[in-house]
Amino acid sequence: MTVIILEDDLAVCDAISLFVSQLGHAVRSFSDAESFFASIVPAPEDMVIVDIGLPGMDGSQVISWLNALASPPRVLAITGQSQTSIRDFLTESPSTMLMRKPLSPQELSSFFQ
């Protein structure tokens, strides 16, 4: 299984990548949706961690694309946005797991269980 991380904040991306690799998973990271789409189509057994506030094409659009795949991967949306934005996102993507930044190791590890 590969864990794909779409996060434009380099420090956050590095922290998540390190944590996930310490759990024994392969990691691929991208700072924007466009480079992700140009590089890889995730397998059904993969996991994708997507920042909702990506530059350019936002994370909500990425999640819609992932969910439209014939066999979509598991998706975790992350955000540092306001409660209102989170409520709006949950209304639009009720099947996607969502965590608010800053992420704790305990919260993040629950995604892999």
Side-chain angles (χ1 to χ4, degrees):
M1 168 182 60
T2 298
V3 178
I4 300 159
I5 303 167
L6 284 87
E7 170 60 67
D8 62 313
D9 183 318
L10 186 57
V12 172
C13 186
D14 284 349
I16 295 171
S17 295
L18 179 62
F19 181 78
V20 169
S21 62
Q22 288 176 341
L23 293 175
H25 301 292
V27 176
R28 300 238 1 229
S29 61
F30 302 90
S31 60
D32 58 62
E34 293 79 7
S35 60
F36 164 66
F37 288 138
S39 299
I40 187 171
V41 174
E45 65 273 8
D46 291 340
M47 294 184 179
V48 182
I49 300 173
V50 182
D51 179 15
I52 295 174
L54 290 172
M57 182 182 293
D58 73 20
S60 296
Q61 293 170 299
V62 173
I63 292 166
S64 293
W65 181 84
L66 290 167
N67 288 333
L69 293 172
S71 297
R74 282 182 65 197
V75 178
L76 170 64
I78 60 175
T79 186
Q81 297 179 5
S82 69
Q83 287 296 109
T84 302
S85 296
I86 291 171
R87 257 192 317 275
D88 293 345
F89 173 80
L90 291 173
T91 300
E92 296 169 8
S93 300
S95 64
T96 301
M97 186 179 210
L98 176 72
M99 291 184 185
R100 187 151 186 214
K101 297 177 195 176
L103 304 174
S104 73
Q106 295 81 12
E107 283 179 311
L108 194 52
S109 65
S110 71
F111 183 63
F112 296 93
Q113 296 175 1

